[in-house]
Amino acid sequence: MTVDINTTYDVQAIRADFPILQRRIGSYPLIYLDNAATSQKPRQVIDALVHYYEFSNANVHRGLHTLAEEATEAYETARAKVARFIGAEPESLVFTRNTTEAINLVAYAWGLANLREGDVVVLSEMEHHSNIVPWQLVARLTGAKLHYVPFTSDGELDSDALEQTLRLEPKLVAITHVSNVLGTVNPVEEITRKAHEAGARVLVDGAQAVPHKPVDVRRIGCDFYAFSGHKMLAPTGIGALYARRELLEQMPPFMGGGSMIRKVTHASSTWADVPTKLEAGTPNIADAVALGAAVDYLQAVGMEAIQQHERQLTEEALRLLDGEEDIEIYGPRNASRRCGLVSFNFKHVHPHDAAQILDQRGIAIRAGHHCCQIIMRKLDVTATARASFYLYNTIEEVRTFWKALDDVRKVFGKHGGR
Ligand code: C6P
């Protein structure tokens, strides 16, 4: 099958915006295929960050001077942009450090207030540790029970098992939108509908979805949606939680401190309006502003176009890897069922060794358990190699990556012997 590259998508113009893509690793040009771990940043985002510090830096929501007003305006404008990007109202968007903090916020603020002994929380076996460990911690505090929905040998969520688990009338279903190992795109709209019919709240981990495909939380209908800025062109240290406004209003604060209060007396305090109630202390203003610039950039390229571009890269990677008898691929074989990443293993070479050899050719992939030890156990491996794509990767890079796998064979032999 030949790959039809969309001629209107100007990948070279996009690449020119990313200074780091000019780098060489030794004598090779960098081929960055570790985008699921974190994305690179375009000049526009770096400039927004520098401009904020050089021009408007001040604390927000407090000062009466010009800089404080400008900083507040920049921070709240960023919130409105990020909210609109996922189809939400600004009042429903809480800035957090990342997906992990957003899920912990729900676990501790909503979970502690709403979960009781014996209540059921449904997770899937394809969750990242960020959507497992907080629920284990809160289950220990509340006596709630965790149930895991398995995935099939093709890397798809087992929908029959999900239906059975929903008969347990869970309080919460917490599920990833896109698996960072299998690449699977879960049908979160349908899952949300069924979970709501069963009386559960729904949290979606959107860490690997928001950067790569159009996301509309109102269409999904979920109660909570978490994601990270650093995987979508923004700096590290900024992420967001979307929650339905009435839930945010009902939830007690996650942390106490400055900004989140209305009135403090010796004995007690009352809270600011949402979302400020859930943003204690001085927030990460500069990185929120840069996340706003990242959203501008992604929208200018177009999320549909990015999704389509990544699908072509994924199809090509799957096509090339599928022909290799010494390689095992994990997750759905159909690129339309995935987002832009492919996890794989040489049958006889440890993925860390493969990643190190590719690095000597300037190719950055990730090898490890990807914070998904439950998936690893189920696949009966300790680790996988993973190539993950983004808007600036090219089909030539995918082919160079595939050809470089021969370097691994040269070192380890076709069957793994040195
Ligand atoms: N996955 C990866 O290489 P943070 O660290 O909070 O920004 O994101 C956590 C997280 C949550 N859910 C999913 C589905 C994720 O993929 C991640 C981050 C990275 O796959 C780092 S382990």
Side-chain angles (χ1 to χ4, degrees):
M1 189 184 67
T2 51
V3 177
D4 171 30
I5 292 294
N6 180 351
T7 47
T8 60
Y9 188 89
D10 191 349
V11 70
Q12 293 306 332
I14 292 170
R15 291 178 69 79
D17 287 332
F18 290 75
I20 207 168
L21 297 182
Q22 304 305 317
R23 259 209 72 169
R24 298 184 82 80
I25 305 294
S27 56
Y28 292 96
L30 168 68
I31 296 183
Y32 186 75
L33 303 181
D34 194 16
N35 295 287
T38 199
S39 73
Q40 299 303 347
K41 323 301 174 196
R43 171 69 64 206
Q44 290 83 339
V45 168
I46 299 167
D47 285 350
L49 190 63
V50 171
H51 182 266
Y52 171 78
Y53 278 125
E54 287 188 348
F55 198 74
S56 300
N57 178 52
N59 213 327
V60 290
H61 301 148
R62 296 174 168 85
L64 291 174
H65 54 80
T66 301
L67 290 189
E69 279 173 13
E70 282 180 16
T72 303
E73 169 75 17
Y75 183 64
E76 292 305 330
T77 301
R79 188 195 307 279
K81 277 183 195 173
V82 177
R84 218 177 307 122
F85 187 60
I86 58 157
E89 296 297 323
E91 296 73 25
S92 278
L93 193 112
V94 181
F95 279 125
T96 61
R97 275 192 306 143
N98 46 36
T99 306
T100 305
E101 188 176 270
I103 296 174
N104 274 273
L105 192 165
V106 179
Y108 284 94
W110 180 88
L112 286 185
N114 289 280
L115 295 174
R116 302 275 168 274
E117 173 95 41
D119 282 349
V120 171
V121 172
V122 175
L123 309 172
S124 87
E125 286 187 338
M126 65 169 87
E127 297 312 308
H128 186 278
H129 296 165
S130 292
N131 200 23
I132 296 174
V133 182
W135 300 112
Q136 290 176 338
L137 292 169
V138 166
R140 209 177 286 164
L141 294 171
T142 58
K145 302 260 171 298
L146 306 183
H147 283 252
Y148 292 85
V149 179
F151 59 88
T152 64
S153 55
D154 197 29
E156 304 269 5
L157 197 73
D158 184 334
S159 51
D160 292 339
L162 174 68
E163 303 237 342
Q164 273 172 28
T165 315
L166 290 179
R167 288 195 201 116
L168 301 172
E169 297 181 1
K171 278 275 166 63
L172 177 76
V173 173
I175 184 106
T176 194
H177 196 162
V178 173
S179 162
N180 62 317
V181 173
L182 305 167
T184 317
V185 182
N186 283 319
V188 286
E189 223 174 300
E190 186 190 329
I191 293 170
T192 300
R193 185 176 45 75
K194 288 182 177 161
H196 280 169
E197 279 165 16
R201 299 269 182 233
V202 177
L203 176 143
V204 179
D205 171 354
Q208 299 292 351
V210 177
H212 303 286
K213 66 199 293 293
V215 168
D216 185 334
V217 290
R218 271 172 316 187
R219 185 174 304 164
I220 295 168
C222 57
D223 302 286
F224 305 104
Y225 195 101
F227 56 104
S228 297
H230 70 95
K231 295 185 198 288
M232 51 185 286
L233 311 184
T236 50
I238 189 75
L241 172 72
Y242 156 81
R244 285 202 295 111
R245 188 171 174 170
E246 59 271 31
L247 290 174
L248 283 182
E249 277 164 359
Q250 288 157 17
M251 269 153 70
F254 173 39
M255 290 190 284
S259 298
M260 48 76 71
I261 52 86
R262 185 178 303 282
K263 189 170 178 201
V264 176
T265 66
H266 282 68
S268 65
S269 306
T270 56
W271 317 130
D273 290 338
V274 297
T276 313
K277 176 178 88 175
L278 292 145
E279 291 180 1
T282 300
N284 186 351
I285 308 159
D287 292 326
V289 172
L291 175 56
V295 163
D296 287 341
Y297 191 93
L298 290 170
Q299 278 175 328
V301 179
M303 291 310 295
E304 301 271 3
I306 292 170
Q307 184 181 24
Q308 164 78 355
H309 177 69
E310 286 184 31
R311 183 165 298 167
Q312 289 171 343
L313 302 179
T314 309
E315 264 172 18
E316 182 67 345
L318 286 172
R319 184 183 73 83
L320 293 169
L321 291 173
D322 213 15
E324 305 289 354
E325 60 179 26
D326 58 346
I327 282 180
E328 182 156 10
I329 303 172
Y330 306 106
R333 290 305 165 97
N334 182 343
S336 70
R337 297 286 313 118
R338 303 178 163 249
C339 256
L341 64 89
V342 180
S343 289
F344 64 97
N345 264 332
F346 277 95
K347 288 184 180 149
H348 306 286
V349 181
H350 195 280
H352 286 173
D353 292 329
Q356 266 177 0
I357 291 169
L358 292 185
D359 183 52
Q360 288 164 15
R361 295 290 302 260
I363 302 168
I365 64 162
R366 187 170 177 190
H369 56 60
H370 314 291
C371 300
C372 291
Q373 290 186 4
I374 292 180
I375 301 186
M376 297 299 126
R377 220 163 286 128
K378 196 145 169 182
L379 298 177
D380 199 20
V381 295
T382 52
T384 76
R386 182 188 67 188
S388 54
F389 313 119
Y390 209 7
L391 73 169
Y392 38 67
N393 290 123
T394 66
I395 205 89
E396 291 76 26
E397 287 183 318
V398 174
R399 289 175 186 151
T400 305
F401 149 73
W402 169 69
K403 283 194 199 117
L405 297 177
D406 272 344
D407 288 5
V408 178
R409 296 184 182 103
K410 273 182 210 137
V411 175
F412 287 95
K414 219 139 159 92
H415 300 292
R418 271 182 194 266

